[in-house]
């Protein structure tokens, strides 16, 4: 309060985010642009606040954390190594000591080592400015693991299980003609449309670049066919000016009595390959 000289940086950052976030949400701005904007604004705020703070070293730690949240591993490490001497210089002679410098670099290296050992998340899984647009798709490894669990559950409880194999041909066209960004926007919009019109227990996974598996627990073949029809109508509502409305081709695979996971997975893969054939 009343520190009017400190109001300008956060105000400019807020205005920039208010402009860029809607553009990113509409697919007109790359997500990394907004992430880098947040990183830049956050570092400026740390640099402004740290000298007058009673705990300036906390602002140094916050600036390093922002780098690891918004950048991939190597750029985040390089940024941390550069931030330590820069922030210590900004804080004044009292904090520019060999001990603080070595300690800051050591902590950055330890954080990097821990991230490598624990498995640094990919860019799509890292912190994002669009929590309401989190990806609803499971990876192929996750969808296969969940499929095994659902098959075991269906067999143990004597319940039906169906999987809807869905092919979206426009994803190929978008990727070939307009690049990977538009394809990712369309794929994300499709995933959200499916998620918003499915049960909470249904699981959507991306089998490959344009084929998806939708696991439907406790669903027999008639229910899966009805879900496929409903999904086909929902998909047509996803549109983009360059591509038009999406369309889907689907096949229903229902788990048979005493069928193994391997055999059912092969049937799903065969259904996916059949959809990829010309005029499928």
């Amino acid at each position: 309060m009343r520190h009017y000289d400190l109001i300008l940086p956060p105000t400019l950052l807020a205005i920039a985010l208010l402009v860029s976030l809607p553009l990113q949400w509409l697919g007109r701005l790359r997500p990394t642009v907004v992430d880098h904007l947040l990183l830049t604004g956050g570092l400026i705020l740390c640099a402004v606040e740290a000298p007058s703070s009673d705990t300036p070293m906390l602002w140094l730690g916050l600036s390093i954390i922002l780098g690891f949240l918004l950048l991939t591993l190597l750029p985040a490490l390089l940024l941390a190594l550069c931030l330590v001497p820069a922030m210590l210089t900004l804080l004044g002679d009292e904090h520019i000591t060999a001990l603080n410098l070595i300690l800051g670099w050591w902590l950055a290296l330890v954080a990097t080592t821990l991230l490598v050992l624990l498995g640094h998340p990919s860019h799509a899984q890292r912190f994002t400015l669009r929590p309401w647009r989190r990806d609803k798709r499971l990876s192929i490894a996750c969808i296969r693991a969940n499929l095994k669990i659902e098959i075991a559950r269906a067999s143990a409880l004597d319940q039906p299980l169906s999987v809807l194999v869905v092919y979206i041909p426009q994803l190929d066209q978008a990727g070939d003609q307009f690049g990977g960004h538009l394809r990712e926007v369309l794929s994300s919009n499709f995933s959200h449309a499916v998620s918003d019109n499915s049960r909470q227990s249904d699981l959507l996974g991306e089998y490959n670049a344009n084929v998806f598996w939708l696991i439907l627990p406790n669903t027999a073949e008639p229910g899966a066919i009805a879900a496929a029809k409903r999904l086909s109508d929902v998909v047509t509502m996803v549109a983009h000016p360059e591509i038009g409305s999406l369309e889907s081709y689907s096949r229903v695979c229902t788990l048979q009595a005493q069928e193994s996971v391997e055999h059912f997975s092969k049937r799903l893969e065969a259904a996916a390959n059949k959809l990829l054939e010309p005029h499928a």
Side-chain angles (χ1 to χ4, degrees):
M1 297 295 293
R2 298 183 181 179
H3 291 277
Y4 301 108
D5 55 325
L6 302 179
I7 292 178
L8 185 59
T11 301
L12 294 177
L13 176 61
I15 294 174
L17 291 176
L18 286 175
V19 173
S20 58
L21 280 174
L23 292 177
Q24 181 185 354
W25 186 77
L26 294 172
R28 301 294 182 179
L29 192 66
R30 295 179 60 187
T32 53
V33 174
V34 186
D35 289 343
H36 291 163
L37 178 62
L38 177 62
L39 177 61
T40 303
L43 294 179
I44 293 175
L45 291 179
C46 291
V48 171
E49 291 287 346
S52 59
S53 174
D54 295 333
T55 54
M57 299 302 291
L58 291 179
W59 292 97
L60 172 60
L62 178 60
S63 63
I64 294 176
I65 291 173
L66 280 175
F68 282 105
L69 285 175
L70 296 169
L71 297 175
T72 53
L73 194 58
L74 181 58
L77 174 60
L78 294 177
L79 177 64
L81 295 178
C82 295
L83 276 177
V84 172
M87 289 291 289
L88 291 177
T89 302
L90 184 64
L91 294 178
D93 296 337
E94 180 182 353
H95 294 86
I96 304 179
T97 63
L99 178 62
N100 286 341
L101 184 62
I102 294 174
L103 181 61
W105 282 344
W106 180 79
L107 290 176
L109 292 174
V110 168
T112 304
T113 303
L114 289 176
L115 288 175
V116 171
L117 294 176
L118 296 175
H120 191 60
S122 64
H123 181 77
Q125 297 172 325
R126 294 198 322 271
F127 173 81
T128 176
L129 289 172
R130 297 185 297 171
W132 61 89
R133 292 289 301 278
R134 286 194 299 266
D135 201 347
K136 303 295 183 179
R137 295 162 293 175
L138 298 175
S139 66
I140 183 171
C142 290
I143 199 65
R144 287 183 181 275
N146 279 276
L147 179 63
K148 293 181 180 179
I149 295 173
E150 294 300 334
I151 290 176
R153 179 182 301 167
S155 300
L157 300 177
D158 195 21
Q159 292 179 345
L161 174 68
S162 296
V163 177
L164 195 60
V165 184
V166 185
Y167 168 54
I168 309 295
Q170 282 85 358
L171 295 183
D172 280 338
Q173 180 183 355
D176 295 339
Q177 297 183 5
F178 302 100
H181 177 60
L182 178 58
R183 184 209 171 277
E184 182 60 28
V185 169
L186 290 173
S187 181
S188 179
N189 291 342
F190 163 77
S191 301
H192 280 78
V194 174
S195 177
D196 293 341
N197 291 272
S198 300
R199 301 170 303 177
Q200 188 173 1
S201 59
D202 297 344
L203 298 171
L204 178 68
E206 189 167 3
Y207 170 69
N208 61 25
N210 46 19
V211 176
F212 299 82
W213 289 358
L214 180 61
I215 300 178
L216 304 171
N218 198 22
T219 304
E221 186 173 358
I225 293 174
K229 178 63 172 62
R230 183 176 66 253
L231 178 62
S232 178
D233 296 336
V234 169
V235 169
T236 58
M237 300 173 62
V238 180
H240 199 276
E242 285 84 355
I243 300 297
S245 298
L246 296 185
E247 58 181 357
S248 63
Y249 299 95
S250 60
R251 287 177 176 266
V252 174
C253 293
T254 302
L255 182 67
Q256 305 298 322
Q258 306 301 322
E259 187 173 13
S260 65
V261 175
E262 293 75 15
H263 188 269
F264 190 51
S265 298
K266 289 181 180 179
R267 287 209 292 133
L268 293 176
E269 294 172 0
N273 294 332
K274 192 69 176 178
L275 288 173
L276 292 174
E277 293 179 359
H279 310 294

